[in-house]
Amino acid sequence: SLHDALPIFMSSVPTGTYERADDKITMKRQGADAVYVFELEGENLVFDREESSDIGLEDNAVFEPGY
């Protein structure tokens, strides 16, 4: 999950809003200008580094559901 990929030294869990447009999910962090964009491929989220704020993830990092 995205939460698991964040550095362990973070002292807070980011909160905010998200919107879905077709197969793109855009997450906006509350209290910051940070934006994270993912492409939805089946049940997976694929990180779009070019469209996102820098959080140290590689472009096209894949997040699979944890169920």
Side-chain angles (χ1 to χ4, degrees):
S1 73
L2 178 60
H3 181 267
D4 295 334
L6 296 175
I8 196 160
F9 57 84
M10 288 187 68
S11 62
S12 66
V13 175
T15 60
T17 61
Y18 75 94
E19 57 187 52
R20 180 176 176 182
D22 298 318
D23 289 333
K24 183 181 280 192
I25 296 176
T26 303
M27 300 177 184
K28 297 178 182 178
R29 187 171 175 182
Q30 183 177 355
D33 290 332
V35 174
Y36 312 112
V37 179
F38 298 84
E39 296 291 328
L40 186 59
E41 294 184 4
E43 294 184 337
N44 298 334
L45 294 176
V46 180
F47 184 65
D48 186 340
R49 186 174 184 171
E50 287 186 22
E51 299 279 331
S52 301
S53 300
D54 185 20
I55 55 173
L57 290 175
E58 292 184 22
D59 193 32
N60 297 317
V62 177
F63 297 87
E64 300 174 343
Y67 49 77

